[in-house]
Amino acid sequence: MVELNIIELVRIFALTGIAFGITILWTPALTHFLYKYNFGKQIRQDSNAPVFMELHKHKEGTPTMGGILIWGTVLLLMAAFWILAQIFPDSILGRFNFIDRGETYLPLAALFASAIVGLADDLLGIFKIGPKGGGIRMRHRLTLYTAIAAIGAWWFYFKLEWTHLHIPFVGDIEIGVWYIPFFILVIVATAFSTNEADGLDGLAGGVLMLAFASYGVLAFVTGSFHLAALTAVIIGSLLAFLWFNVPPARFFMGDTGSMPLGVTLGIIALLTDQALLLLLIAFIPVIESASVIIQLISKKLRNGKKIFLSTPIHHHFEAKGWPESKVVMRFWIISAVMAGLGIIIGLIG
């Protein structure tokens, strides 16, 4: 068992390095394409968000859809190592295949399905098709991602026969068919919360890298080596993404990056049986969404009065005069501390 774990550990670190290298290599080509054909982000013209408009109007035209780098690399390595495993099943390269019915079928399928929806949303926004400067309407986005989550819930409940919820320090609680709405809630909430966090250069990338690393550790120690390998590929791709997107960003992640990564993170959390730890491991996305909800409730109940200068909450700190890089770095630190706490609870709880 020790020997197997060492081999798997080497495999995981190797996949991280390979994903990083591949993403670094093809980033210049994608960047050139995005700049050449002006696939730039359109800053929404919304009278209800004057602070946001003032803070970010200088970013108008910065290329978006950088999330293609991440899921594109995952797709490339998934296909390459699967083919190598079929041709050379007993070779070292064959062992790098991370496609597995019980562990990675669902997160991979959800990643690519969500990426297509996000890509369509980004393209509509670029060409200003849709309400308030472009993009898919919120209710339509919610419907699409709920549908993806519902398919995942069906797979979990009927194919994997998953009917319990693990509560740290308490144990497994049987919830039966209620696992389906719980699954949908987790996936949709994680996807949209991650999207809220994608508002500053490098913020979502760093937060997501820490979150996937945390669940990668939990997957590894429970023997879900293919799932841990998938997180390794995503982490390597995110590292390369951050290489080009620490402030000031060369391009943005876009909905084709943040939404599918949020969906995938939620599914991995459920597969490791540690979904409740998302409240810690994905702490920054949680408080980003919470700030938006609190702001909306305050404006509704207090005749338009706001609690925050702007939401999500990272814009509030910007409006208070914090430099963008300071907000990003401090949110990374908070995320690292909370993710570490989540890993500890996951291991002993």
Side-chain angles (χ1 to χ4, degrees), residues 44-62:
R44 69 177 187 267
Q45 302 300 310
D46 190 346
S47 59
N48 294 321
V51 176
F52 171 84
M53 290 169 57
E54 181 63 28
L55 289 171
H56 288 259
K57 61 184 180 182
H58 66 283
K59 295 186 179 183
E60 181 91 29
T62 301

Side-chain angles (χ1 to χ4, degrees), residues 134-294:
I136 301 173
R137 290 181 181 274
M138 176 55 73
R139 64 175 179 270
H140 296 153
R141 293 173 69 201
L142 184 60
T143 300
L144 288 167
Y145 289 109
T146 300
I148 292 171
I151 295 170
W154 174 85
W155 182 274
F156 256 67
Y157 186 75
F158 291 103
K159 292 292 186 179
L160 301 183
E161 299 181 344
W162 210 299
T163 59
H164 70 271
L165 172 64
H166 180 75
I167 301 177
F169 304 111
V170 174
D172 294 341
I173 304 297
E174 190 70 24
I175 59 176
V177 74
W178 286 102
Y179 193 85
I180 293 176
F182 173 74
F183 183 102
I184 294 172
L185 175 63
V186 168
I187 300 306
V188 173
T190 307
F192 280 89
S193 295
T194 302
N195 187 245
E196 295 286 6
D198 185 29
L200 298 179
D201 296 353
L203 176 58
V207 168
L208 282 167
M209 185 181 67
L210 290 166
F212 277 107
S214 299
Y215 276 111
V217 170
L218 295 176
F220 184 86
V221 298
T222 55
S224 299
F225 297 128
H226 292 299
L227 192 60
L230 173 58
T231 65
V233 174
I234 294 174
I235 291 165
S237 302
L238 281 168
L239 278 169
F241 177 86
L242 285 172
W243 181 267
F244 293 96
N245 287 278
V246 290
R250 287 278 292 156
F251 44 81
F252 301 136
M253 184 178 290
D255 282 1
T256 195
S258 61
M259 297 298 285
L261 287 173
V263 169
T264 307
L265 179 64
I267 291 175
I268 290 174
L270 289 156
L271 280 168
T272 57
D273 211 10
Q274 299 286 2
L276 294 182
L277 290 182
L278 279 167
L279 296 173
L280 295 175
I281 291 175
F283 181 74
I284 293 299
V286 168
I287 65 167
E288 297 277 25
S289 278
S291 68
V292 173
I293 294 169
I294 291 169

Side-chain angles (χ1 to χ4, degrees), residues 51-123:
V51 176
F52 171 84
M53 290 169 57
E54 181 63 28
L55 289 171
H56 288 259
K57 61 184 180 182
H58 66 283
K59 295 186 179 183
E60 181 91 29
T62 301
T64 186
M65 302 193 299
I68 294 173
L69 287 169
I70 300 162
W71 57 260
T73 298
V74 174
L75 177 62
L76 175 65
L77 293 183
M78 177 193 75
F81 287 125
W82 181 83
I83 292 171
L84 288 170
Q86 306 313 304
I87 300 174
F88 310 107
D90 299 321
S91 69
I92 294 176
L93 290 176
R95 291 185 63 89
F96 280 82
N97 175 39
F98 52 88
I99 296 179
D100 180 79
R101 181 182 183 276
E103 295 182 28
T104 60
Y105 267 20
L106 185 56
L108 285 169
L111 174 68
F112 300 132
S114 303
I116 292 171
V117 175
L119 184 63
D121 196 13
D122 285 335
L123 289 171

